[in-house]
Amino acid sequence: MSVKNPQTLEWQALSSEHHLAPFSDYKQLKEKGPRIITKAAGVHLWDSEGNKILDGMAGLWCVAVGYGRDELVQAASKQMKELPFYNTFFMTAHPPVLELSKVVADVAPAGMTHVFFTGSGSEGNDTVLRMVRHYWKLKGKPEKKVIIGRINGYHGSTVAGASLGGMSGMHEQGDLPIPGIVHIPQPYWYGEGGDMTPDAFGVWAAEQLEKKILEVGVDNVAAFIAEPIQGAGGVIIPPDTYWPKIKEILARYDILFVADEVICGFGRTGEWFGSDYYDLKPDLMTIAKGLTSGYIPMGGVIVRDEVVKVLNEGGDFNHGFTYSGHPVAAAVGLENIRILRDEKIIERVKADTAPYLQKRLRELNDHPLVGEVRGLGLLGAIELVKNKATRERYTDKGVGMICRTFCFDNGLIMRAVGDTMIIAPSLVITHEEIDELVTKARKCLDLTLEALNG
Ligand code: PXG
């Protein structure tokens, strides 16, 4: 590979010799070497070759306030000097974790006033599993253990997270899911709706929850977990009928509802949480990513007051992480939420940048490769197909990866989930940057089509 910067090769050699990367094809990574990202500002990244790239994925769905916010650096630095670490176990706490708990409760849906902090979204969902089973035991119903997730849902990569999720590629490795976790179909109309209308398919997909509850037995079911909008699964926006029907079913049965807000939380839909957008009233909400804008790792679970009341009467909860409520992460989280609130970033997404992005993205519908453009808030998906009318795919071509590579080479980061291109830019993206994103996306769609025809 010819490079402009000899250091690129040195770093790539270190990768090959010493680094085991997450979610990567190791053989391919060894052959090609990783692209080295060296700095960032706003919504742009630079690689070690000096290329400037528009980051259409906000890091990995997380850099809500954009790169380069000095206030977050200062908050971390001040906290590191004052108290870089202390734990929150065994009857101790520190100011940042307590202040952040209050601020998260302020922005959370009504009646959800307590937070259990973790180091990541996966740890958040491990906490969910432990907490809901503990809750039902305290309620005198220890047999209520089964958690229902969804096929192609994503809830993290720890053993519990990957089991709650419904990613077949993850289940194949490591003999997952663990016992006590079952899955129902996803509300992915474009991919799986067949001849049904979106509305009819939404009802059908929701009814699968009731079917599963009855199959497992309501006395055995602890909870249902779902992302308001599936992110890693391909920005899957359920038909309008889906969540109302799910809510109806949940109201009929005594089970907990867990909204995994790791992607939807902290403004991505134009509301603070996806649960606000769809009026979901969850009992627990998993959070991470936008909580600290990814500047430092932190996740957690926001818990409804009725659940907390039961936990409060239950003695020891034998669960926690060294870094639960880490003071530096908490200080960054506090400052991040202050920025989101003071600069009215989420209000701007809702009133201005989300409608603009959605309008501009839909212009790509006229492209011969594009079967559907969908999106909501600052989330978007572009389905690549061979035949627009029948939704037929290009089988065995890896069109998504071809397009993703063109994007990478032309200064745009879009993720490919199969043949679905997805975006989730920072919440601070401007109209001009949205224009840049859509222009680059169209160019890369053209290049992909040329490559397929060539
Ligand atoms: N829940 C959801 C909904 C997520 O999107 C997690 C939990 C786990 O969070 P941590 O912090 O443990 O990674 C996530 C994470 C992708 C991709 O390919 C998405 C995630 C992670 C890695 C890759 O889009 N989401």
Side-chain angles (χ1 to χ4, degrees):
M1 178 186 172
S2 73
V3 295
K4 290 183 237 157
N5 176 4
Q7 259 198 311
T8 299
L9 293 177
E10 286 171 32
W11 281 319
Q12 288 178 334
L14 292 180
S15 164
S16 165
E17 286 158 21
H18 301 293
H19 186 219
L20 292 174
F23 280 100
S24 301
D25 177 332
Y26 283 5
K27 187 159 172 271
Q28 206 181 43
L29 186 61
K30 223 176 162 61
E31 277 163 18
K32 291 193 182 158
R35 185 158 188 170
I36 313 290
I37 305 297
T38 50
K39 63 175 190 175
V43 299
H44 288 96
L45 302 164
W46 281 262
D47 68 13
S48 57
E49 293 292 284
N51 297 307
K52 186 179 176 185
I53 308 154
L54 175 67
D55 183 4
M57 285 303 297
L60 202 48
W61 319 82
C62 51
V63 188
V65 299
Y67 297 104
R69 292 297 305 233
D70 198 48
E71 302 94 315
L72 298 183
V73 181
Q74 295 309 323
S77 159
K78 183 163 171 277
Q79 187 57 46
M80 277 195 186
K81 285 181 192 151
E82 210 157 283
L83 179 73
F85 179 76
Y86 199 72
N87 71 70
T88 51
F89 286 42
F90 320 130
M91 313 282 285
T92 61
H94 44 67
V97 75
L98 301 174
E99 288 166 23
L100 181 61
S101 302
K102 154 84 172 103
V103 168
V104 169
D106 283 349
V107 300
M112 303 189 80
T113 60
H114 289 70
V115 194
F116 187 104
F117 287 105
T118 67
S120 68
S122 300
E123 287 178 8
N125 283 325
D126 272 59
T127 301
V128 160
L129 182 130
R130 304 282 305 280
M131 194 180 274
V132 301
R133 288 181 176 171
H134 179 52
Y135 166 85
W136 285 116
K137 204 163 175 191
L138 292 174
K139 294 265 284 186
K141 297 183 175 177
E143 64 290 347
K144 277 176 88 69
K145 279 190 194 139
V146 175
I147 303 181
I148 302 174
R150 299 185 300 179
I151 295 165
N152 202 37
Y154 189 82
H155 299 297
S157 198
T158 51
V159 168
S163 294
L164 292 168
M167 298 287 174
S168 54
M170 295 173 81
H171 288 176
E172 279 160 22
Q173 296 173 343
D175 210 7
L176 302 177
I178 52 172
I181 295 173
V182 295
H183 298 86
I184 60 171
Q186 56 179 337
Y188 179 27
W189 175 77
Y190 192 82
E192 298 171 4
D195 294 335
M196 280 191 235
T197 62
D199 279 356
F201 180 71
V203 170
W204 176 86
E207 282 170 352
Q208 302 312 303
L209 175 62
E210 184 159 42
K211 210 170 135 203
K212 188 59 86 178
I213 293 171
L214 296 174
E215 184 188 311
V216 175
V218 66
D219 293 342
N220 299 316
V221 178
F224 171 54
I225 183 167
E227 303 153 80
I229 294 166
Q230 286 155 263
V235 180
I236 292 162
I237 299 170
D240 292 343
T241 49
Y242 183 75
W243 284 118
K245 188 74 189 172
I246 291 276
K247 279 169 64 180
E248 231 180 271
I249 294 164
L250 288 170
R252 278 205 280 281
Y253 300 97
D254 191 18
I255 66 172
L256 296 173
F257 172 48
V258 185
D260 186 334
E261 294 273 2
V262 168
I263 280 177
C264 292
F266 299 96
R268 180 119 326 259
T269 64
E271 303 288 345
W272 275 92
F273 294 94
S275 295
D276 297 323
Y277 185 89
Y278 288 115
D279 189 28
L280 297 183
K281 309 266 186 308
D283 299 295
L284 297 93
M285 297 200 311
T286 318
I287 54 172
K289 297 193 189 271
L291 169 64
T292 53
S293 279
Y295 277 57
I296 197 160
M298 185 176 232
V301 185
I302 311 179
V303 186
R304 184 164 292 285
D305 296 351
E306 286 80 12
V307 175
V308 174
K309 196 159 158 252
V310 173
L311 299 178
N312 278 342
E313 284 158 14
D316 269 350
F317 181 37
N318 296 315
H319 173 75
F321 306 98
T322 302
Y323 301 129
S324 284
H326 192 289
V328 179
V332 172
L334 269 169
E335 186 60 12
N336 177 60
I337 295 177
R338 186 199 65 71
I339 292 172
L340 287 171
R341 285 170 127 179
D342 286 1
E343 298 183 8
K344 301 200 183 323
I345 289 173
I346 299 173
E347 289 88 333
R348 187 167 74 237
V349 167
K350 182 177 180 171
D352 178 19
T353 43
Y356 187 69
L357 174 76
Q358 296 306 334
K359 174 174 138 295
R360 295 261 17 226
L361 262 190
R362 276 168 183 70
E363 291 169 15
L364 299 172
N365 262 319
D366 69 2
H367 196 279
L369 253 187
V370 174
E372 177 182 80
V373 178
R374 61 175 174 268
L376 191 164
L378 289 184
L379 286 163
I382 305 167
E383 297 279 4
L384 307 184
V385 291
K386 192 169 179 181
N387 185 323
K388 280 172 182 275
T390 61
R391 292 183 250 156
E392 187 197 346
R393 304 275 187 186
Y394 283 93
T395 45
D396 303 331
K397 294 249 189 203
V399 184
M401 279 313 279
I402 296 173
C403 183
R404 192 196 95 119
T405 306
F406 280 123
C407 290
F408 242 79
D409 293 344
N410 285 277
L412 172 65
I413 291 191
M414 277 210 280
R415 247 186 46 54
V417 177
D419 289 347
T420 311
M421 305 309 297
I422 58 175
I423 55 154
S426 282
L427 306 188
V428 297
I429 193 166
T430 62
H431 283 225
E432 294 70 32
E433 288 158 347
I434 290 170
D435 293 341
E436 180 188 340
L437 190 156
V438 175
T439 305
K440 284 181 171 169
R442 183 178 288 280
K443 178 177 174 192
C444 296
L445 290 169
D446 288 344
L447 291 167
T448 307
L449 188 64
E450 262 175 49
L452 288 168
N453 292 337

